[in-house]
Each structure stands twice: as C-alpha cells, then as structure tokens.
Amino acid sequence: MKYRLVNVSPWILAAACTLLAVIIGVFAVNNYRREKQLMTEVLLQKGVTIVRFVNAGSRARFRNNPGGFDDPGWRWSEQLQQVFDQTAEQPGVHFVLLTDRKGSILAGSERSRIGGQLDGEILSFLAGLEKEVPGNAIYRIGRRDNGEGDAFQIAAVYAPLGPQDMAEDGPPIRRMGRGGGPMGEHNRQFQQGYQRWRMAVERVQAEKYMLLVELDLDQLNTAVKRQLLQIVILSLVLLLVGVGGWLSLLTLQGYKGSQTRLRRMRAFNDLLVSSLPLGLVATGNDGNIQIFNRVAEEILGLGEQQAAGRLPSDVLPPPLVDLIGRSEVNLREPQRRELTLAGQDGRSRSLLLAALAVVDAEQRHVGTMLLIQDLSEVKKLEEELKRNERLAALGEMAAGVAHELRNPLSSIKGLAVLLKSRFADSSSDREAADILVGEVERLNRSISELLNYARPDRLEKEKVSLNGILQKAISLIRVDADAVGVEIRTEFCPPPDFVHADQDKLSQVFLNLFLNAIQAMKNGGTLKVGTSCDQAQLLCRVEDSGCGIDADLLPKIFDPYVTTKSGGTGLGLAMSVKIIEEHGGRIDISSTPGQGTTVAVSLPAWQQ
C-alpha cells in the first residue's frame, strides 16, 4: 500500500482533488437551490391554504345567511370580515386583502386599509392573474406593501362558489319533497330564495375579485442560512471522506471487483432458478432444503421462509419426501412419479415429479433436486376436450334422431286426431286420444329444444343495456316470484352498462336463470340480482337462498339432460352456456346445499 502511494503521480492526485471539489460544489449549490425551492413551496402551500380557507369560509357564510337573500342592505364583503380576522391570527401572516381589479381594497385583515388603494408595483403583480386559469395562484418575493423589507406574496382569484356549488341545480333541501302541502310550499319558497342568492353570489364571482396574501420571509431566510451552514460543514466532511475513500480505493479495488463478479453470478443463478417454469426443491449434503423457488411456493402453498433450512420431512408432503429418499439411493436413475396432491387452498393439483441426485466430480452425493410440474391445466384441458367431443357427437346424433322422429310423430298425431273425432265427447277413448296428442306435442317440443341446442345460432348483435335486459326479465317473472313469496333485490352498476349482444338471446338466458332460482325456493326466499362494470367486462350475479345443488351434481350441471327438476328437460342451462359462450362470455356457478346457489355471468363490455 505504501509503495502504491509513493508511486502515485501528483498530477493524478491534483486531478482527483479538483474533481472532488467540483462534485462538492455542484452538490452544495443543488442543495441550496433545493432547500430554497422547498421553503418557497412551503410558503406557497401555506398561502394557497389561506386562500382556500377564505373561499371556504365565505362560502359557509353565504350558505348560513339565507335570511339575507332578499335584503338590499346585505353586503357580502362585510360577511367576510370575520374570516379575514381569523386568517390574520395565523403565525407568519402579515395580512389578507380582498381587492377589485382596479386595486381598491374591499375587505381584509387590516381594517384600517379597507377603502384604500394598492400601490402600482402590487397592481402590476396582480395583473398576472389575467393570464392564469381560474383556480391557480401566482406568487412572488418582493417589497412589502408598507415598504419595510421583503415578503412572500400570493394572489388568487376570489371564488365564493366552488365546483360543487356550480354543479348543483338547487340546495340539498330541494330533494326532500316535491309534493303539495305546507312542506312543498316551503320548499318552493326556499328554492326561489336560493336561486336569488345564487344569482347574487354568481355576480360577485363574475367580478373576479382578487385575494392578496402576504407572508413573513423569516422562516425562508432562517432555513436558507441554516442550509448554507450545513453545506459548509458537509463540504468539509465530504472532502475528508473523499480523500479517505480515494486512498482506500487503491486497496479495495481488487477485492471489490471479485465481490462484484461473485454477486453478478449469484444474482444470475437466483434469477435463473426463480424463472424456471418448473417447481424446484433442492437439498444440500446435510439433508436440509437449500433452494425453494417461486413456482414450488405456488404449487405446494409454502413460502421460502417456511422451507429454507429445514428437513424435507418437516415441510413437504409424504409422497415428495419418499421420492427424494429414493433418489438418494438410486444415484444414477432419476425417479419419476405422477400424483394428485391436495393443496392448502383446497384445490387438487395433478403433479409430475422428477427427483435426481446431485453428485460432484468424485461421484459423491452432495444433494438432491426435485422438479415439480403442475399438470392441472393440461388435465383440465384434456377433460374439456373430451367433454366437447362428447357434446359434439351428442349434437350430431340428436339432430339425426330428431329428424327421423319428427315424421313418425306427425303421423301419430294425425292418427290420434282422427281417432279422437270418431269418439263421443264423453268417451274415455276420446280422453286417451287427447292424452296421446298432448304427449306427441310434448315430444315435438323436446325435439325442437334439442335441435335448437344442436344447431349453431345466428346472433343479431347490437348495442344493448345489460341493466335494461335484467329489469325487463325481472318484470316478467315478478308475478311468479310473488306467488311463492320470493323477494327480489337488485343492485345495478351505474352506466355505461352496454354490451354487444343479441337482446332476445340474453333475455332467454336470464329468464331461465331467474326461473330456476324461483323454483329452487318453493317456500319463499330472496333473489338477489346485481351487476358490476369495468372497462373490459360486465358481471351479473344471480343469488338465491334456495335448496342448492349437490356437490356431485355441480360439475355436470351444464351438461344436456342434467336436471334436478322432475318435469325439466335439462336443456335450459346447457342452452344458456351455449348462448353466453357465443357472446364471448362465461358462466360460473357455485352452490351450497341447503343455503343457495350463485350464478355469475360475465360479458365483454361494449367497445367503441
């Protein structure tokens, strides 16, 4: 180290010291400017707060003086004097004035100046408000109004009416009633008074009076002086630290380079392990878990802190522990297994496991690596594919069978009608013929439903309101709901609630869902219908408090001819799913036996 310092050129040392001095100077100047800007923003915020306080206080004064609406002697500026007196009590506030555009002082915390005139320099400053958007404030650091030193001055347009007041059509009491009687007459009189008051206040606001706030600069000057002192002290400290750091750099450069390379390699390895699409669990030669990546955390429901440094038998499920043990015995052969594992969240996952031993160059066992691949989605897609193939085959078969059955049914119906005409009206044979005709018609309807399910529909899509469709469907089933004592509760999202859909098909879906819910509540209950909206999706939830659906039947509830009703065809929900999927949406159902069922229908929102 000594030899290195001796061999260092003086010019290198001088260049380093010069560079350090420049850095310290730039740092000091930036700190000084930042402190000054910060204190300026603090004073500006304080001034803006006072302006908002005056506006809010005057707004409250106007609202709390309804008796002065029609009083010709009522002066709004006098109502503000108490507000200005309160603001003047704040520390660091010289004064708060209300002036017109000509500089005449109308009101303020310094009552002796009311009726006076502002000087030309401040008038020039206030002229800048003409170029500002209403609601903005301007400020400056300039000579005080009385000429004694400098002060911080903020100016803003006086706004006794806020955005909410400008948006209101009338006072809040206007919404309390619209009927006749004394109360209605009182409301009308109050509304008329309110309109006169509003016109008076709007005239005041139209004059664009200005608020001028002057604040003390002692706080800013003290902070700037303190910052200058801190800059000097910090500059000395940084200079000493820089010299010491420059000297230490010669010694630490080699060590720092090796540490940097080591950190980069470790970070790359960590990134590689965490980015693997497979779960990875690795143990060291002591048998404790050393690596537990993010995918393994998600699959097994364990955090890295729960697993790191512990034995596999303490944290992993028994099948995984057994597989790791086998890999230690069979060093040459990877152990593979496929199993279904129930996670802590209650979901069952199909996993493909592969365990293999980690050995060093001398073929010594130094650890075990377990790879975990989640096949749940693959299994689900396989089952969905099989189901779709089965439904497609069923649809083709249904279309063929329906075609072959309709002609014989027509002949049977014709013969039944002919036989019916040959029997007397009171004959039992005539009644049997009527039954035969009815059953043939019922079979024909079932065949029509089957054909409608099997054949692809042609949707007539248009821009429709989801809430409107639901309200219309509820009106159609309300009589049925009242008949069995079912209460209907609705909670619709605010517009926009538009979807690109076939209105008749969606009405068919929701009518079917509502009727199913009502039929599940034979002894009465509650039917809740609600919607929620976002930019991409609209969600409708239909909840009932009925008998619910058994857990073993729930996965097959959307299959054709699966029904819990004795007289049902089992095609209602199947048709509903088909219609929603053709609209690019989705239906999900959850149910608890004895407590009720919830159906969630999501549809793409209307896109311009």
Side-chain angles (χ1 to χ4, degrees), residues 326-558:
R326 291 187 181 184
S327 67
E328 294 178 1
V329 176
N330 303 304
L331 297 179
R332 301 292 183 182
E333 299 179 2
Q335 302 296 310
R336 292 183 174 85
R337 181 183 299 177
E338 185 174 342
L339 54 84
T340 300
L341 187 67
Q344 295 183 354
D345 56 358
R347 295 175 53 193
S348 295
R349 296 177 181 269
S350 297
L351 304 179
L352 178 62
L353 307 176
L356 60 153
V358 180
V359 295
D360 59 11
E362 299 177 0
Q363 299 300 311
R364 290 180 301 183
H365 182 270
V366 295
T368 305
M369 181 170 57
L370 177 65
L371 298 176
I372 308 172
Q373 183 178 3
D374 189 354
L375 301 179
S376 302
E377 292 298 326
V378 176
K379 295 290 185 182
K380 185 178 179 180
L381 291 175
E382 289 178 354
E383 293 176 0
E384 186 69 20
L385 180 60
K386 292 178 181 178
R387 177 177 176 272
N388 290 337
E389 291 176 351
R390 186 172 65 254
L391 293 179
L394 177 62
E396 293 179 1
M397 181 188 69
V401 171
H403 179 73
E404 294 297 328
L405 288 179
R406 272 194 162 176
N407 290 335
L409 284 177
S410 299
S411 301
I412 293 173
K413 181 178 179 180
L415 292 174
V417 172
L418 179 61
L419 289 174
K420 176 182 176 181
S421 64
R422 295 186 178 183
F423 299 122
D425 293 341
S426 59
S427 172
S428 60
D429 295 331
R430 187 179 182 90
E431 294 179 0
D434 286 334
I435 293 174
L436 181 58
V437 171
E439 290 300 309
V440 169
E441 291 177 348
R442 186 177 67 83
L443 286 174
N444 199 30
R445 287 194 300 271
S446 298
I447 292 172
S448 297
E449 293 179 358
L450 183 60
L451 287 175
N452 289 335
Y453 176 76
R455 72 164 63 100
D457 289 332
R458 185 173 180 272
L459 300 179
E460 299 292 337
K461 291 186 177 182
E462 57 184 339
K463 181 181 179 183
V464 295
S465 168
L466 180 60
N467 292 342
I469 293 175
L470 291 172
Q471 290 172 347
K472 182 178 179 180
I474 290 173
S475 66
L476 295 176
I477 55 94
R478 190 173 293 276
V479 175
D480 295 334
D482 294 339
V484 294
V486 172
E487 179 187 2
I488 301 178
R489 299 178 184 175
T490 59
E491 185 177 352
F492 296 140
C493 66
D497 60 326
F498 297 111
V499 293
H500 190 216
D502 188 317
Q503 184 172 358
D504 293 336
K505 295 295 183 181
L506 283 189
S507 299
Q508 176 184 347
V509 171
F510 291 117
L511 278 175
N512 185 39
L513 295 179
F514 295 159
L515 290 175
N516 286 346
I518 293 173
Q519 292 168 3
M521 297 182 286
K522 297 181 180 179
N523 298 323
T526 302
L527 174 61
K528 297 180 181 179
V529 182
T531 58
S532 59
C533 311
D534 57 35
Q535 294 182 351
Q537 294 285 328
L538 271 75
L539 178 66
C540 173
R541 292 176 60 88
V542 180
E543 304 179 35
D544 66 64
S545 58
C547 58
I549 303 172
D550 294 336
D552 58 344
L553 185 61
L554 193 60
K556 302 180 290 185
I557 197 65
F558 292 127

Side-chain angles (χ1 to χ4, degrees), residues 98-413:
L98 176 68
T99 70
D100 59 15
R101 285 179 285 184
K102 297 180 179 179
S104 299
I105 300 175
L106 306 179
S109 58
E110 296 181 348
R111 301 197 177 200
S112 60
R113 302 183 60 181
I114 297 176
Q117 189 76 17
L118 296 175
D119 61 17
E121 183 179 349
I122 295 182
L123 280 177
S124 300
F125 166 61
L126 294 179
L129 281 176
E130 298 292 337
K131 302 178 182 179
E132 292 292 329
V133 177
N136 291 352
I138 60 174
Y139 69 94
R140 72 163 188 167
I141 297 177
R143 184 177 56 83
R144 291 190 57 180
D145 188 55
N146 57 10
E148 299 178 358
D150 292 337
F152 192 87
Q153 298 172 344
I154 302 99
V157 176
Y158 174 62
L161 281 179
Q164 182 179 2
D165 299 303
M166 297 298 291
E168 290 181 352
D169 294 331
I173 195 171
R174 178 176 176 263
R175 292 188 285 272
M176 293 178 58
R178 295 178 180 272
M183 192 64 184
E185 181 62 29
H186 173 73
N187 288 343
R188 284 191 293 272
Q189 294 176 359
F190 186 86
Q191 179 68 15
Q192 293 174 359
Y194 172 82
Q195 293 298 333
R196 291 194 296 273
W197 169 83
R198 184 183 178 93
M199 293 174 61
V201 178
E202 287 178 350
R203 286 196 298 270
V204 171
Q205 183 153 319
E207 290 294 330
K208 293 186 178 179
Y209 296 114
M210 293 173 287
L211 288 170
L212 177 63
V213 181
E214 187 172 280
L215 304 177
D216 197 349
L217 275 178
D218 289 344
Q219 183 179 6
L220 175 62
N221 295 331
T222 301
V224 171
K225 291 178 181 178
R226 184 174 62 250
Q227 182 62 25
L228 288 175
L229 179 61
Q230 291 177 355
I231 288 174
V232 173
I233 297 174
L234 183 60
S235 299
L236 294 176
V237 172
L238 287 178
L239 181 60
L240 295 176
V241 171
V243 173
W246 179 78
L247 296 176
S248 301
L249 182 62
L250 299 176
T251 304
L252 299 177
Q253 187 174 7
Y255 176 76
K256 182 179 178 181
S258 61
Q259 290 294 318
T260 301
R261 289 191 295 270
L262 181 60
R263 283 196 301 269
R264 288 177 180 175
M265 184 178 298
R266 185 176 299 171
F268 176 77
N269 291 337
D270 292 341
L271 181 61
L272 181 63
V273 170
S274 62
S275 301
L276 284 175
L278 304 177
L280 174 62
V281 180
T283 61
N285 53 10
D286 58 354
N288 294 330
I289 296 176
Q290 301 296 328
I291 297 176
F292 198 84
N293 72 346
R294 178 182 55 81
V295 178
E297 294 176 15
E298 296 176 355
I299 294 176
L300 300 179
L302 298 173
E304 183 179 2
Q305 301 300 326
Q306 297 176 276
R310 302 181 62 183
L311 291 172
S313 57
D314 294 337
V315 293
L316 298 181
L320 276 65
V321 177
D322 179 60
L323 194 60
I324 290 178
R326 291 187 181 184
S327 67
E328 294 178 1
V329 176
N330 303 304
L331 297 179
R332 301 292 183 182
E333 299 179 2
Q335 302 296 310
R336 292 183 174 85
R337 181 183 299 177
E338 185 174 342
L339 54 84
T340 300
L341 187 67
Q344 295 183 354
D345 56 358
R347 295 175 53 193
S348 295
R349 296 177 181 269
S350 297
L351 304 179
L352 178 62
L353 307 176
L356 60 153
V358 180
V359 295
D360 59 11
E362 299 177 0
Q363 299 300 311
R364 290 180 301 183
H365 182 270
V366 295
T368 305
M369 181 170 57
L370 177 65
L371 298 176
I372 308 172
Q373 183 178 3
D374 189 354
L375 301 179
S376 302
E377 292 298 326
V378 176
K379 295 290 185 182
K380 185 178 179 180
L381 291 175
E382 289 178 354
E383 293 176 0
E384 186 69 20
L385 180 60
K386 292 178 181 178
R387 177 177 176 272
N388 290 337
E389 291 176 351
R390 186 172 65 254
L391 293 179
L394 177 62
E396 293 179 1
M397 181 188 69
V401 171
H403 179 73
E404 294 297 328
L405 288 179
R406 272 194 162 176
N407 290 335
L409 284 177
S410 299
S411 301
I412 293 173
K413 181 178 179 180

